[in-house]
Amino acid sequence: MDQPRAAARLRILLGQLGRRSAGAVIAHPTSGAVPPAGFHPQQFQYTRDNSVLTLEQRQFYEDNGFLVIKKLVSDADIECFRNEFERICRKEVEPMRLVVMRDVTIAKSEYVPSQKMITKVQDFQEDEELFRYCTLPEVLKYVECFTGPNIMAMHTMLINKPPDSGKKTSCHPLHQDLHYFPFRPSNNIVCAWTAMEHIDRNNGCLAVLPGTHKSSLKPHHYPQWEVGGG
């Protein structure tokens, strides 16, 4: 472009910039940007915008760190998962990389292996039936509200709660899962937990401390339970 034409365009541009009118666009620094009309400040840190959760449910999760969806998984599916767990206990199936954990105090007291001595099976992703829980559309629909559509199962686990043998070996102290998880970001991690039978305070239900998801990680150690307690 020749100099006369460039000078002319520059004069036009400077003239436009110097003109002030009611409809003129005013620039603002990005560090203090003025929000457009109708903009609402982001109030949800742990949930995603979608049509699944209500505003009340999202706010409850933001405040408390958990959300209860009743009767989400069908009784028929839960029965299938229970039957598969019993097959694992009887060693009728032994999926690769499955970790079976036993209560040593119960195992030593039984002559025949049974589900009463097995307290947990971990990493069941190779078991087709148990992993089906991680693919249930009704579960994924809610998980996506917290993680987005790119979902990955990272820690598959089935917990069994047989009666304590009197050694407090079935007691599990309060803890923060994030202390044990080596992956981040933490705001994209959510646990989908389903009870396989009716639970209450008397038979070892899941316990949470509302709001602690917003606090920092605490020191973790295993407490010195009193031996022989009820």
Side-chain angles (χ1 to χ4, degrees):
M1 183 181 296
D2 57 85
Q3 282 188 328
R5 290 181 59 189
R9 294 193 61 176
L10 180 59
R11 284 193 298 270
I12 294 173
L13 179 59
L14 292 174
Q16 293 290 338
L17 292 175
R19 185 182 303 170
R20 296 295 300 271
S21 65
V25 176
I26 303 174
H28 296 274
T30 56
S31 59
V34 176
F39 176 82
H40 298 285
Q42 179 64 40
Q43 59 177 324
F44 299 117
Q45 179 180 353
Y46 302 100
T47 57
R48 309 251 177 154
D49 292 333
N50 56 54
S51 59
V52 177
L53 298 180
T54 65
L55 290 178
E56 290 77 12
Q57 287 175 317
R58 295 182 70 180
Q59 191 60 57
F60 184 90
Y61 188 87
E62 293 285 326
D63 295 338
N64 298 281
F66 72 94
L67 189 65
V68 178
I69 308 295
K70 296 183 177 180
K71 299 185 181 300
L72 181 63
V73 180
S74 70
D75 292 339
D77 277 330
I78 289 178
E79 185 64 23
C80 289
F81 301 142
R82 181 184 290 112
N83 290 338
E84 183 68 4
F85 170 66
E86 292 177 355
R87 293 181 66 212
I88 293 173
C89 293
R90 295 192 298 266
K91 296 186 177 182
E92 294 176 5
V93 291
E94 298 184 67
M96 293 178 58
R97 290 185 284 277
L98 183 74
V99 178
V100 178
M101 302 179 66
R102 296 172 173 84
D103 187 324
V104 63
T105 63
I106 297 177
K108 288 181 178 179
S109 67
E110 293 190 350
Y111 296 100
V112 180
S114 76
Q115 62 173 301
K116 287 198 298 182
M117 62 182 280
I118 294 178
T119 58
K120 189 183 300 183
V121 293
Q122 291 191 150
D123 303 323
F124 59 65
Q125 63 272 5
E126 301 298 333
D127 185 283
E128 184 176 351
E129 182 59 34
L130 289 184
F131 190 73
R132 190 170 60 82
Y133 171 81
C134 300
T135 67
L136 291 176
E138 58 268 39
V139 172
L140 294 179
K141 179 180 73 172
Y142 282 98
V143 169
E144 190 172 340
C145 298
F146 306 95
T147 65
N150 187 18
I151 301 171
M152 180 179 294
M154 296 300 300
H155 190 61
T156 53
M157 179 168 56
L158 186 153
I159 300 175
N160 188 35
K161 291 283 289 184
D164 189 77
S165 64
K167 302 294 185 180
K168 294 295 183 78
T169 50
S170 72
C171 297
H172 200 70
L174 289 171
H175 61 281
Q176 295 168 293
D177 283 343
L178 198 61
H179 181 83
Y180 304 98
F181 289 173
F183 46 91
R184 298 293 187 272
S186 59
N187 287 9
N188 290 347
I189 300 173
V190 69
C191 172
W193 185 93
T194 299
M196 299 179 68
E197 60 184 18
H198 294 288
I199 57 172
D200 54 36
R201 289 179 177 270
N202 296 319
N203 67 351
C205 60
L206 177 68
V208 299
L209 295 178
T212 52
H213 65 300
K214 295 182 285 188
S215 63
S216 59
L217 289 178
K218 310 299 182 185
H220 283 60
H221 61 87
Y222 207 89
Q224 296 296 319
W225 300 113
E226 293 181 8
V227 177

